[in-house]
Amino acid sequence: MSGELVGDISVIGMRGCEEFVARVDNYLKEWRRSDESFIVDAKCPRFGSGEAKGLVTQSLRGHDVYIISDCFNYGVTYEMYGQTVPMSPDDHFQDLKRVIGAIGGKARRISVIMPMLYEGRQHKRSTRESLDCALALQELAKMGVSNFITFDAHDPRVQNAIPLNGFDDVRATYQMIKSLIKCYPDISLEKDDIMMISPDEGGMGRCMYYSSVLGVDLGMFYKRRNYTVVVNGKNPIEAHEYLGKSVKGKDVIIVDDMISSGESILDVGLQLKQRGAKRIFVFATFGLFCNGLELFDKAYADGTITKIFTTNLIYRTPELLTKEWYGEVNMCKYVSYIIDTLNHDYTISKLLDPVTRIHTLLDKHKAELAAK
């Protein structure tokens, strides 16, 4: 790629992102024909009390810095008062600020790549409660962060909190479809054979995009909640009600931004099966699986779920990676493209809108099916 560079490129991977960042670095080295790594070593050593400090091991004066942070990686720990403590999203966010503080305003530009937005689900106020996501974005902006890159934000309107800063909400649409075709080369993506399903009204936007690009029908469920009680911070769902055309005899793809406990997805999958759906696939950018994997094992054994695809943008447990029902969607190359393009100060609009690449992929897949 030719063009003026913003500055020497430096990539910092926060704790838990080491493997992902190493793969991103390999792409950057290949494209720039460099033998030297673009990774900058940054640490947050902790005292016995649990307090910490940010430490950057080299000067970043004039550099174009990209910090990749997975605030949901509970697989990394630290010692506090002799106890081993898993890092919470709050701990990761504080470490991110510490590293930015260690840079000390010397970088030419700082961009934060936070795949799953910290406190992204606390994006609006419905009663006397905090607006954590907006406050976090404002805090980072005041510390000198120019650009924020996130994936499939729960509500991208949270960028209104920082209207003068860059905020890009990226979706993994192309990579999801590509992974599905790779795992199931026999799948037909024609209108008569497959449908897109939104598990709730809030996810209709992303589901409509899939259905428009693929040219297939869509349906949705809406959540009937009990607003008289609060369980684990939210009103429990009493039932999922379906709106849409018949799914009988069709493959279906349920699209959501994340899987938390997974109960909603599995209930939706069960209802679709009862309505005669054929195979059920799930596209979820982030797989948290907060309540473990047992329910998914059972759903797979019962034939309710065929495959669940999530990205490698956040932490996945070693156990998850061994499951037959799980499919990993690799996003390392895509993130590398974003970094490389931004470093040249080029627009990333074409990267954010993959319609042409999707149609090329679909045409190729259709031709391969016809040749069989």
Side-chain angles (χ1 to χ4, degrees):
M1 182 180 289
S2 60
E4 291 295 325
L5 300 178
V6 172
D8 291 340
I9 189 170
S10 293
V11 181
I12 295 176
M14 300 301 297
R15 282 198 68 193
C17 297
E18 293 86 356
E19 180 184 349
F20 188 94
V21 170
R23 295 167 77 175
V24 168
D25 185 51
N26 286 335
Y27 283 116
L28 294 174
K29 289 194 295 183
E30 177 186 343
W31 297 338
R32 301 198 174 191
R33 297 181 175 86
S34 173
D35 295 327
E36 295 186 10
S37 173
F38 295 101
I39 298 175
V40 172
D41 188 25
K43 302 175 182 177
C44 290
R46 290 183 179 267
F47 303 101
S49 61
E51 299 168 292
K53 63 180 178 182
L55 176 64
V56 177
T57 58
Q58 68 186 66
S59 173
L60 295 177
R61 186 181 295 276
H63 285 217
D64 191 18
V65 180
Y66 297 84
I67 307 176
I68 300 178
S69 174
D70 174 13
C71 287
F72 296 84
N73 192 329
Y74 63 94
V76 290
T77 61
Y78 63 90
E79 296 295 319
M80 184 172 70
Y81 292 102
Q83 301 178 62
T84 300
V85 182
M87 287 187 69
S88 70
D90 292 343
D91 291 324
H92 283 289
F93 185 68
Q94 287 300 119
D95 277 1
L96 172 62
K97 292 193 295 181
R98 290 180 176 112
V99 168
I100 295 171
I103 294 172
K106 303 298 192 302
R108 183 173 297 183
R109 185 173 67 182
I110 297 177
S111 299
V112 168
I113 300 176
M114 188 182 289
M116 186 170 175
L117 199 57
Y118 172 72
E119 291 288 1
R121 283 184 284 182
Q122 188 53 29
H123 58 98
K124 62 182 179 181
R125 175 180 285 153
S126 55
T127 181
R128 291 186 294 274
E129 57 189 16
S130 57
L131 288 171
D132 297 66
C133 190
L135 290 172
L137 290 173
Q138 289 178 348
E139 190 171 7
L140 293 179
K142 289 176 182 177
M143 294 184 72
V145 176
S146 303
N147 299 317
F148 297 88
I149 298 98
T150 191
F151 285 76
D152 211 350
H154 194 68
D155 187 346
R157 290 175 296 182
V158 74
Q159 67 184 285
N160 293 337
I162 48 166
L164 299 181
N165 292 77
F167 184 99
D168 291 298
D169 180 30
V170 189
R171 289 185 178 173
T173 312
Y174 170 74
Q175 289 80 6
M176 287 286 185
I177 297 172
K178 186 177 179 180
S179 295
L180 175 65
I181 291 174
K182 185 177 180 180
C183 283
Y184 297 91
D186 66 316
I187 194 166
S188 171
L189 298 176
E190 298 297 320
K191 185 176 182 179
D192 294 335
D193 302 315
I194 198 164
M195 278 185 66
M196 309 302 301
I197 302 292
S198 176
D200 54 41
E201 59 275 23
M204 276 297 286
R206 63 180 63 89
C207 201
M208 287 169 63
Y209 183 81
Y210 273 100
S211 65
S212 298
V213 171
L214 294 175
V216 300
D217 292 325
L218 77 156
M220 69 161 282
F221 285 80
Y222 68 90
K223 297 174 180 177
R224 183 152 52 83
R225 293 182 180 272
N226 184 348
Y227 287 98
T228 63
V229 296
V230 176
V231 179
N232 293 329
K234 57 186 179 182
N235 304 109
I237 299 167
E238 290 190 332
H240 290 92
E241 306 289 349
Y242 178 67
L243 298 172
K245 293 184 177 181
S246 173
V247 298
K248 189 172 182 178
K250 294 183 178 181
D251 289 329
V252 298
I253 302 174
I254 304 172
V255 182
D256 211 350
D257 59 335
M258 72 178 75
I259 296 174
S260 183
S261 68
E263 292 177 359
S264 293
I265 289 285
L266 296 180
D267 184 45
V268 165
L270 183 60
Q271 288 203 43
L272 290 170
K273 271 295 183 182
Q274 292 171 349
R275 286 175 166 81
K278 192 178 173 184
R279 293 179 293 186
I280 297 180
F281 305 101
V282 178
F283 287 175
T285 308
F286 308 110
L288 300 175
F289 302 102
C290 296
N291 293 356
L293 306 176
E294 292 79 10
L295 288 176
F296 296 90
D297 290 336
K298 185 178 184 303
Y300 177 69
D302 294 343
T304 303
I305 297 293
T306 301
K307 199 83 167 180
I308 296 177
F309 294 90
T310 77
T311 69
N312 65 337
L313 290 166
I314 65 170
Y315 175 65
R316 293 95 53 233
T317 63
E319 181 187 5
L320 175 64
L321 300 179
T322 66
K323 299 296 182 180
E324 290 184 11
W325 49 262
Y326 177 69
E328 182 179 276
V329 180
N330 191 339
M331 299 296 291
C332 296
K333 191 172 186 179
Y334 195 22
V335 171
S336 304
Y337 275 133
I338 292 172
I339 292 175
D340 193 44
T341 304
L342 289 176
N343 183 231
H344 286 84
D345 228 8
Y346 289 155
T347 177
I348 60 172
S349 296
K350 290 183 178 180
L351 289 175
L352 300 181
D353 185 9
V355 173
T356 302
R357 284 182 292 154
I358 292 173
H359 284 165
T360 300
L361 176 65
L362 294 177
D363 291 342
K364 180 182 177 183
H365 178 59
K366 190 183 296 184
E368 290 174 349
L369 286 178
K372 290 182 179 179

PDB file of all heavy atoms in Angstrom, residues 196-208:
ATOM      1  N   MET A 196     -32.991 -15.770   7.669  1.00  0.00           N
ATOM      2  CA  MET A 196     -32.282 -15.097   8.750  1.00  0.00           C
ATOM      3  C   MET A 196     -33.271 -14.837   9.877  1.00  0.00           C
ATOM      4  O   MET A 196     -34.419 -14.445   9.629  1.00  0.00           O
ATOM      5  CB  MET A 196     -31.678 -13.765   8.287  1.00  0.00           C
ATOM      6  CG  MET A 196     -30.836 -13.841   7.023  1.00  0.00           C
ATOM      7  SD  MET A 196     -29.445 -14.985   7.146  1.00  0.00           S
ATOM      8  CE  MET A 196     -28.545 -14.292   8.529  1.00  0.00           C
ATOM      9  N   ILE A 197     -32.840 -15.052  11.111  1.00  0.00           N
ATOM     10  CA  ILE A 197     -33.719 -14.869  12.265  1.00  0.00           C
ATOM     11  C   ILE A 197     -33.049 -13.956  13.285  1.00  0.00           C
ATOM     12  O   ILE A 197     -31.895 -14.176  13.677  1.00  0.00           O
ATOM     13  CB  ILE A 197     -34.052 -16.219  12.944  1.00  0.00           C
ATOM     14  CG1 ILE A 197     -34.713 -17.177  11.950  1.00  0.00           C
ATOM     15  CG2 ILE A 197     -34.922 -15.993  14.172  1.00  0.00           C
ATOM     16  CD1 ILE A 197     -36.093 -16.758  11.498  1.00  0.00           C
ATOM     17  N   SER A 198     -33.780 -12.936  13.721  1.00  0.00           N
ATOM     18  CA  SER A 198     -33.311 -12.082  14.813  1.00  0.00           C
ATOM     19  C   SER A 198     -33.935 -12.567  16.113  1.00  0.00           C
ATOM     20  O   SER A 198     -35.160 -12.737  16.188  1.00  0.00           O
ATOM     21  CB  SER A 198     -33.689 -10.622  14.562  1.00  0.00           C
ATOM     22  OG  SER A 198     -33.310  -9.816  15.667  1.00  0.00           O
ATOM     23  N   PRO A 199     -33.133 -12.811  17.153  1.00  0.00           N
ATOM     24  CA  PRO A 199     -33.687 -13.331  18.414  1.00  0.00           C
ATOM     25  C   PRO A 199     -34.449 -12.293  19.218  1.00  0.00           C
ATOM     26  O   PRO A 199     -35.131 -12.635  20.184  1.00  0.00           O
ATOM     27  CB  PRO A 199     -32.441 -13.801  19.163  1.00  0.00           C
ATOM     28  CG  PRO A 199     -31.350 -12.921  18.657  1.00  0.00           C
ATOM     29  CD  PRO A 199     -31.678 -12.652  17.218  1.00  0.00           C
ATOM     30  N   ASP A 200     -34.340 -11.013  18.835  1.00  0.00           N
ATOM     31  CA  ASP A 200     -35.090  -9.962  19.530  1.00  0.00           C
ATOM     32  C   ASP A 200     -35.208  -8.747  18.624  1.00  0.00           C
ATOM     33  O   ASP A 200     -34.569  -8.660  17.561  1.00  0.00           O
ATOM     34  CB  ASP A 200     -34.433  -9.583  20.863  1.00  0.00           C
ATOM     35  CG  ASP A 200     -32.961  -9.196  20.710  1.00  0.00           C
ATOM     36  OD1 ASP A 200     -32.625  -8.501  19.733  1.00  0.00           O
ATOM     37  OD2 ASP A 200     -32.149  -9.617  21.552  1.00  0.00           O
ATOM     38  N   GLU A 201     -36.018  -7.792  19.049  1.00  0.00           N
ATOM     39  CA  GLU A 201     -36.252  -6.598  18.231  1.00  0.00           C
ATOM     40  C   GLU A 201     -35.010  -5.727  18.123  1.00  0.00           C
ATOM     41  O   GLU A 201     -34.801  -5.048  17.115  1.00  0.00           O
ATOM     42  CB  GLU A 201     -37.427  -5.795  18.783  1.00  0.00           C
ATOM     43  CG  GLU A 201     -37.287  -5.309  20.223  1.00  0.00           C
ATOM     44  CD  GLU A 201     -37.708  -6.328  21.283  1.00  0.00           C
ATOM     45  OE1 GLU A 201     -37.702  -7.535  20.989  1.00  0.00           O
ATOM     46  OE2 GLU A 201     -38.023  -5.903  22.410  1.00  0.00           O
ATOM     47  N   GLY A 202     -34.155  -5.759  19.138  1.00  0.00           N
ATOM     48  CA  GLY A 202     -32.952  -4.931  19.129  1.00  0.00           C
ATOM     49  C   GLY A 202     -31.935  -5.358  18.095  1.00  0.00           C
ATOM     50  O   GLY A 202     -31.089  -4.570  17.677  1.00  0.00           O
ATOM     51  N   GLY A 203     -31.988  -6.627  17.669  1.00  0.00           N
ATOM     52  CA  GLY A 203     -31.017  -7.130  16.703  1.00  0.00           C
ATOM     53  C   GLY A 203     -31.496  -7.099  15.273  1.00  0.00           C
ATOM     54  O   GLY A 203     -30.831  -7.636  14.376  1.00  0.00           O
ATOM     55  N   MET A 204     -32.641  -6.457  15.016  1.00  0.00           N
ATOM     56  CA  MET A 204     -33.196  -6.464  13.661  1.00  0.00           C
ATOM     57  C   MET A 204     -32.297  -5.763  12.651  1.00  0.00           C
ATOM     58  O   MET A 204     -32.238  -6.143  11.485  1.00  0.00           O
ATOM     59  CB  MET A 204     -34.581  -5.816  13.659  1.00  0.00           C
ATOM     60  CG  MET A 204     -35.690  -6.766  14.054  1.00  0.00           C
ATOM     61  SD  MET A 204     -35.865  -8.152  12.902  1.00  0.00           S
ATOM     62  CE  MET A 204     -36.626  -7.341  11.501  1.00  0.00           C
ATOM     63  N   GLY A 205     -31.576  -4.738  13.092  1.00  0.00           N
ATOM     64  CA  GLY A 205     -30.728  -3.987  12.166  1.00  0.00           C
ATOM     65  C   GLY A 205     -29.676  -4.866  11.519  1.00  0.00           C
ATOM     66  O   GLY A 205     -29.532  -4.886  10.291  1.00  0.00           O
ATOM     67  N   ARG A 206     -28.926  -5.624  12.350  1.00  0.00           N
ATOM     68  CA  ARG A 206     -27.873  -6.481  11.796  1.00  0.00           C
ATOM     69  C   ARG A 206     -28.477  -7.625  10.988  1.00  0.00           C
ATOM     70  O   ARG A 206     -27.906  -8.056   9.986  1.00  0.00           O
ATOM     71  CB  ARG A 206     -26.946  -6.987  12.906  1.00  0.00           C
ATOM     72  CG  ARG A 206     -27.573  -7.859  13.941  1.00  0.00           C
ATOM     73  CD  ARG A 206     -26.559  -8.300  15.006  1.00  0.00           C
ATOM     74  NE  ARG A 206     -26.029  -7.169  15.756  1.00  0.00           N
ATOM     75  CZ  ARG A 206     -26.596  -6.688  16.851  1.00  0.00           C
ATOM     76  NH1 ARG A 206     -27.719  -7.236  17.307  1.00  0.00           N
ATOM     77  NH2 ARG A 206     -26.066  -5.676  17.496  1.00  0.00           N
ATOM     78  N   CYS A 207     -29.649  -8.120  11.414  1.00  0.00           N
ATOM     79  CA  CYS A 207     -30.299  -9.218  10.702  1.00  0.00           C
ATOM     80  C   CYS A 207     -30.819  -8.745   9.334  1.00  0.00           C
ATOM     81  O   CYS A 207     -30.746  -9.467   8.340  1.00  0.00           O
ATOM     82  CB  CYS A 207     -31.439  -9.771  11.544  1.00  0.00           C
ATOM     83  SG  CYS A 207     -31.924 -11.443  11.114  1.00  0.00           S
ATOM     84  N   MET A 208     -31.334  -7.534   9.282  1.00  0.00           N
ATOM     85  CA  MET A 208     -31.816  -6.961   8.018  1.00  0.00           C
ATOM     86  C   MET A 208     -30.673  -6.797   7.027  1.00  0.00           C
ATOM     87  O   MET A 208     -30.857  -6.970   5.816  1.00  0.00           O
ATOM     88  CB  MET A 208     -32.500  -5.613   8.285  1.00  0.00           C
ATOM     89  CG  MET A 208     -33.855  -5.745   8.959  1.00  0.00           C
ATOM     90  SD  MET A 208     -34.508  -4.158   9.546  1.00  0.00           S
ATOM     91  CE  MET A 208     -34.674  -3.273   7.989  1.00  0.00           C
TER      92      MET A 208
END
